Amino acid sequence: MIGWKFAFTRRWAGYLALTILFAAVCSGLGLWQLARRSDALSEMDKVETNYAADPVPLAEALPGLDAFSASQKWLPVVMTGTYLTDDELIVRNRPLNINPGFEVLTPLLLADGSVFIVNRGWLPTGQTPDAPASVPTAPSGVVTVIARLKAGEPSLAGRSATGDQIATINLDEVSTRMDLPTYTGAYGLMASEEPTPDERPVAVTRPVKDEGPHLSYAFQWFVFALMGFVGLGWAIRQEYRAVNFDDPDERVRAAERVRRQAAKPRSDSEIEDELIDGR
């Protein structure tokens, strides 16, 4: 087929369809990375806005037991009550800096008779990976707690626990263990408690400000999408040269390409290869 007629055959239509599909997949992955970056920036904004804010009363932040807004994540709340140490729970499989461990949930009985779940911190595994070596005792009597709000977690299929241990911080499941009305919209990561005990679990630290590599990954996916069309154009051009090899104008262009290639300075490795071939 002389000229560009070959490019309109069914074979090249299939190549074009595959290129469009490849570009669509790459573009979708790029948009997904941009969405992940947006989520990361939103999380960073919540940390910047809420983490160091002045504590607000729990009842003001959460007017109902199931109340919680995603914008309240990390917001400090203050409350006064009595720890229900007999109902304390241990959360399994909670790594910290790649070290395996647990987290301690201690229910706090408030003056109105409701219960708020306080995550008092992290503990390493003990002599066996099934439990911590010991759990620091929570302060007795009336305590004032400042904690940062966080939403509860879903249940995970295939993960279970028995006794005083739980697999995830699913507040609905935690509330079933309590005979009292319990907050299920959010729990609190403890920032401080008064009186201060001599020993307490490892406190939660401020999240690192890092949006991740999502922007660069998105750029790479969009470049891959563009390269698909560049590759298709290169392939069409190569076939054009092969199909129209006998065309006088194409012969002139081919000779010019050979001349330019020969005029390029050769690398040391190319010279060495030529000498070896000559021998």
Side-chain angles (χ1 to χ4, degrees):
M1 296 184 180
I2 304 302
W4 295 97
K5 292 182 180 179
F6 70 91
F8 298 96
T9 60
R10 181 178 298 179
R11 177 167 63 92
W12 280 99
Y15 292 156
L16 177 60
L18 288 175
T19 303
I20 292 174
L21 177 61
F22 174 77
V25 172
C26 290
S27 298
L29 290 171
L31 293 174
W32 173 63
Q33 287 293 341
L34 289 179
R36 293 190 64 189
R37 178 176 183 263
S38 179
D39 292 341
L41 292 176
S42 177
E43 287 298 311
M44 290 168 54
D45 182 65
K46 292 174 188 176
V47 173
E48 290 295 321
T49 302
N50 294 336
Y51 200 89
D54 294 331
V56 299
L58 175 64
E60 179 181 327
L62 303 178
L65 296 180
D66 59 351
F68 178 72
S69 170
S71 62
Q72 293 178 302
K73 186 177 182 180
W74 305 113
L75 178 69
V77 293
V78 59
M79 68 211 86
T80 300
T82 305
Y83 280 128
L84 302 177
T85 54
D86 291 341
D87 297 310
E88 198 166 63
L89 298 171
I90 304 298
V91 191
R92 297 173 57 86
N93 299 319
R94 311 297 281 201
L96 179 65
N97 297 328
I98 74 170
N99 297 311
F102 305 84
E103 289 179 359
V104 183
L105 303 183
T106 309
L108 183 69
L109 178 62
L110 307 177
D112 64 357
S114 62
V115 172
F116 184 76
I117 303 301
V118 179
N119 185 330
R120 298 188 61 242
W122 179 86
L123 294 172
T125 57
Q127 295 180 348
T128 67
D130 298 328
S134 62
V135 179
T137 303
S140 60
V142 177
V143 294
T144 299
V145 177
I146 296 177
R148 294 184 172 88
L149 295 178
K150 198 172 181 183
E153 302 170 356
S155 296
L156 298 179
R159 292 183 58 178
S160 61
T162 58
D164 64 348
Q165 297 190 6
I166 56 176
T168 64
I169 307 179
N170 186 303
L171 296 176
D172 290 326
E173 294 181 6
V174 172
S175 66
T176 61
R177 297 179 177 235
M178 310 295 298
D179 294 328
L180 298 168
T182 304
Y183 280 84
T184 57
Y187 68 99
L189 297 169
M190 190 178 66
S192 66
E193 56 188 358
E194 293 291 341
T196 303
D198 296 332
E199 183 183 5
R200 58 160 292 184
V202 178
V204 175
T205 58
R206 183 186 179 108
V208 177
K209 186 177 181 180
D210 181 16
E211 68 177 66
H214 304 302
L215 184 60
S216 62
Y217 286 168
F219 177 76
Q220 290 175 14
W221 282 117
F222 292 138
V223 169
F224 290 158
L226 180 61
M227 288 176 62
F229 290 101
V230 172
L232 179 66
W234 177 86
I236 292 177
R237 183 59 179 169
Q238 292 299 107
E239 182 151 338
Y240 174 86
R241 291 171 178 173
V243 170
N244 297 276
F245 180 77
D246 292 333
D247 181 70
D249 293 336
E250 183 58 30
R251 284 178 175 274
V252 171
R253 287 191 290 267
E256 178 62 19
R257 289 194 297 271
V258 172
R259 186 192 65 78
R260 287 199 303 266
Q261 184 66 29
K264 289 183 179 179
R266 295 179 299 172
S267 65
D268 292 341
S269 60
E270 290 175 333
I271 295 174
E272 292 174 358
D273 291 342
E274 183 178 336
L275 293 174
I276 293 174
D277 292 340
R279 291 175 184 175

